[in-house]
């Protein structure tokens, strides 16, 4: 039944909350982006943000995701848009990235770094960045010091390292990265994401009405949508623009 979950996300424009304006805003916060940038997009999904990035920068973009059908959709999209010369997707595991040390000017990851945890990703991925290269992520945060119990219980399971912005800033301070900038993803990006997902869920619920296992998955996804609608002030995504310190 995992297949059903992936089928729903495959149909969507993107696989996590985000928007083009925020992607380009974060890109614009990178100091001294070189003329011929090499950028790695981790957990790219079907790659809408990879496409926005490819359209915005000079250079080469590598996009990775561990789900091959997402990569195939991304590569087809890139080809259709005439971007396949600068944007290419391949299947890879974020826990074991198949790249050389100091290969990239930028590592990007929207709505996916929570899978590994930002602190661990900073430790594991730093070696793939050139000196003063940037790591740009949108990561889950509680936006309230004491989130409602229902929110806390749900995300303690879904996002094991979930914490506040303040907690994130604290571990960034002790890391090999400096915090260049940060901002909260607008709630509209979440609303649009869930609006699209809910339409698909209604269609799937009708199709799978006699399939108990499928309905359980659909119910679980609807629960997440309803949770956001009730508690949107309590959590969200924060974009962090981080720069690798040069070790002398
Ligand atoms: C919430 S989606 C975000 C996708 C995309 N960045 C976006 O914002 O639309 C998380 C993505 O991470 C991918 N993913 C999950 N585990 C992964 C892993 N171990 N390595 C690489 N990608 C992974 C999923 O397949 C999914 O496409």
């Amino acid at each position: 039944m995992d297949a059903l979950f992936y089928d729903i996300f495959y149909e969507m424009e993107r696989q996590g909350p985000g928007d083009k304006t925020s992607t380009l805003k974060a890109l614009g916060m990178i100091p001294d982006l070189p003329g011929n940038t090499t950028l790695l997009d981790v957990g790219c999904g079907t790659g809408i943000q990879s496409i926005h990035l490819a359209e915005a920068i000079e250079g080469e973009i590598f996009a990775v995701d561990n789900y091959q059908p997402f990569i195939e959709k991304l590569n087809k999209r890139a080809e259709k848009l005439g971007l396949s010369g600068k944007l290419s997707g391949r299947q890879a595991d974020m826990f074991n990235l198949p790249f050389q040390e100091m290969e990239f000017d930028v590592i990007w990851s929207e709505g996916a770094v929570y899978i590994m945890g930002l602190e661990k990703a900073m430790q594991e991925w730093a070696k793939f960045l050139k000196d003063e290269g940037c790591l740009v992520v949108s990561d889950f945060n509680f936006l309230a010091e004491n989130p409602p119990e229902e929110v806390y219980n749900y995300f303690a399971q879904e996002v094991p390292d979930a914490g506040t912005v303040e907690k994130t800033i604290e571990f960034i301070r002790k890391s090999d990265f400096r915090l260049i900038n940060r901002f909260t993803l607008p709630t509209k990006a979440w609303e649009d994401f869930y609006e699209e997902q809910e339409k698909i869920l209604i269609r799937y619920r009708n199709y799978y009405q006699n399939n108990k296992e499928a309905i359980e998955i659909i119910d679980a996804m609807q629960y997440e949508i309803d949770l956001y609608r009730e508690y949107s002030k309590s959590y969200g995504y924060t974009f962090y623009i981080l720069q690798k310190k040069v070790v002398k």
Side-chain angles (χ1 to χ4, degrees), residues 118 130 176:
L118 177 56
K130 296 175 190 170
D176 294 335

Side-chain angles (χ1 to χ4, degrees), residues 20 24 27 47-59 61 77-78 80-83 86-87:
K20 182 176 179 179
L24 297 183
L27 183 69
I48 188 72
Q49 74 289 319
S50 327
I51 287 167
H52 297 325
L53 292 165
E55 285 170 339
I57 66 172
E58 293 298 323
I61 297 188
R77 267 172 146 178
K80 239 181 166 172
L81 293 165
L83 290 169
K86 67 195 295 201
L87 168 60

